[in-house]
């Protein structure tokens, strides 16, 4: 720990690396992109989908909250099904970067579109002007929790060999990553905490919030790997190139490292 804190590159990251090694670090540059292509796309969304009261949805209880986002259960009236709606926290309603992050997550997740990635149903703006993502409501347990509890794996999923069961989960995670790479997207934050196991054994790779694209997006919505010069990722999983460099080196091999 003392050695890490003396390294020049650890000037701003040392405390996180030592005290919160399983927490995701988001690039500082994300806070400086108010005039970025994402902001331009956000303005377009606000113009084409002016604030309303989420017509067609009856928003109900909160499923969970994070540092920037809130996920609530909603009833989609036209189809009579439950969905999940993610918005930025009320306290961040006027924070352009918080909105940009939520939108980038939606655009990246929607671009991948794979059975092992939670489907995005819609993207719009709520009555407070905050962007919202409508997605499949997924109930389950994080893979991290199940890795620590083999008895739960046997009890909930009928596994006679927990190791084999976990390897099958891992294969499905790699399939989601393979699809992302085919779309020229690098996840950058693959870890058991970001994998959800559904009630019937469904496997979903979550949290595409710091993913980047390896090629320019014609609509200028996606953050580029060529701009990834700042540190981002989860310390105890990070590949060396994720610590930041004036010459970005993020590519598909970064995710392969994380999978390993």
């Amino acid at each position: 720990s003392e050695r890490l804190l003396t390294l020049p590159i650890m000037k701003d990251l040392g405390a996180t690396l030592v005290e919160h090694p399983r927490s995701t670090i988001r690039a500082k540059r994300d806070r400086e992109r108010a005039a970025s292509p994402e902001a331009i796309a956000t303005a377009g969304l606000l113009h084409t989908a002016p604030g309303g009261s989420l017509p067609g949805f009856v928003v109900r209880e909160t499923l969970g909250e994070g540092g920037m986002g809130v996920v609530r259960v909603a009833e989609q009236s036209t189809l009579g099904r439950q969905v999940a709606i993610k918005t930025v926290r009320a306290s961040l309603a006027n924070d352009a970067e918080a909105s940009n992050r939520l939108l980038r997550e939606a655009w990246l997740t929607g671009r991948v579109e794979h059975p092992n990635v939670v489907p995005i149903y819609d993207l719009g703006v709520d009555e407070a002007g905050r962007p919202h993502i409508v997605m499949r409501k997924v109930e389950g347990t994080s893979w991290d929790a199940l890795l620590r509890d083999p008895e739960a794996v046997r009890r909930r999923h009928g596994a006679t060999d927990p190791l084999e069961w976990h390897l099958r989960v891992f294969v499905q995670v790699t399939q989601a990553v393979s699809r992302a790479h085919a779309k020229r997207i690098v996840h950058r934050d693959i870890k058991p905490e970001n994998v959800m196991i559904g009630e019937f054994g469904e496997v979903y790779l979550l949290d595409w919030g710091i993913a980047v694209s390896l090629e320019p997006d014609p609509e200028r919505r996606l953050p580029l790997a060529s701009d990834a010069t700042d540190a981002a990722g989860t310390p105890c999983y990070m590949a060396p190139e994720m610590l930041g460099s004036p010459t970005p080196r993020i590519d598909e091999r970064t995710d392969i490292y994380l999978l390993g």
Side-chain angles (χ1 to χ4, degrees):
S1 299
E2 293 176 359
R3 171 60 179 156
L4 280 173
L5 292 172
T6 66
L7 299 176
I9 201 169
M10 298 301 144
K11 180 180 178 181
D12 298 319
L13 303 180
T16 299
L17 285 166
V18 174
E19 299 170 14
H20 306 286
R22 302 181 75 87
S23 298
T24 298
I25 296 171
R26 299 182 185 275
K28 290 199 301 179
R29 285 189 61 193
D30 285 350
R31 295 194 292 271
E32 302 167 3
R33 301 176 74 143
S36 67
E38 297 98 316
I40 296 171
T42 301
L45 177 66
L46 294 172
H47 176 72
T48 57
S53 56
L54 293 182
F57 298 95
V58 179
V59 181
R60 304 192 187 282
E61 70 272 14
T62 298
L63 275 178
E65 294 189 44
M68 300 185 72
V70 181
V71 180
R72 296 181 175 88
V73 178
E75 181 82 15
Q76 187 175 8
S77 305
T78 54
L79 293 176
R81 67 177 176 183
Q82 285 194 333
V83 297
I85 293 183
K86 185 173 183 178
T87 63
V88 296
R89 297 172 66 94
S91 59
L92 298 173
N94 297 317
D95 187 319
E97 178 53 31
S99 295
N100 283 344
R101 284 185 179 178
L102 188 74
L103 290 166
R104 289 198 296 270
E105 179 182 350
W107 288 324
L108 284 158
T109 307
R111 180 69 60 90
V112 176
E113 196 171 12
H114 186 270
N116 296 117
V117 176
V118 177
I120 301 296
Y121 294 146
D122 196 10
L123 179 61
V125 193
D126 67 14
E127 58 189 357
R130 296 172 296 181
H132 65 264
I133 308 173
V134 182
M135 65 188 81
R136 175 180 290 174
K137 178 175 175 284
V138 177
E139 296 186 58
T141 308
S142 79
W143 191 20
D144 179 61
L146 293 174
L147 280 165
R148 300 168 186 270
D149 191 352
E151 287 305 317
V153 173
R154 293 187 179 95
R155 183 176 65 256
R156 296 179 188 177
H157 300 286
T160 56
D161 184 341
L163 175 58
E164 179 186 6
W165 186 87
H166 285 301
L167 288 173
R168 291 182 183 278
V169 170
F170 179 76
V171 167
Q172 293 187 67
V173 174
T174 67
Q175 290 172 348
V177 174
S178 179
R179 170 66 172 180
H181 291 177
K183 292 287 188 176
R184 305 290 288 155
I185 291 171
V186 179
H187 187 284
R188 289 206 297 173
D189 203 19
I190 302 167
K191 56 183 177 180
E193 294 94 326
N194 283 342
V195 177
M196 175 74 76
I197 311 299
E199 181 182 357
F200 299 101
E202 314 97 300
V203 177
Y204 297 105
L205 178 58
L206 310 175
D207 199 348
W208 296 78
I210 65 169
V212 291
S213 177
L214 294 171
E215 59 186 29
D217 170 24
E219 297 175 341
R220 304 180 69 198
R221 292 177 171 179
L222 307 183
L224 298 176
S226 58
D227 293 331
T229 57
D230 290 335
T234 298
C236 62
Y237 293 95
M238 275 178 158
E241 65 269 22
M242 297 173 72
L243 290 171
S245 169
T247 304
R249 295 179 294 149
I250 303 295
D251 63 23
E252 294 94 340
R253 292 170 294 182
T254 302
D255 279 349
I256 301 302
Y257 185 103
L258 295 172
L259 287 168

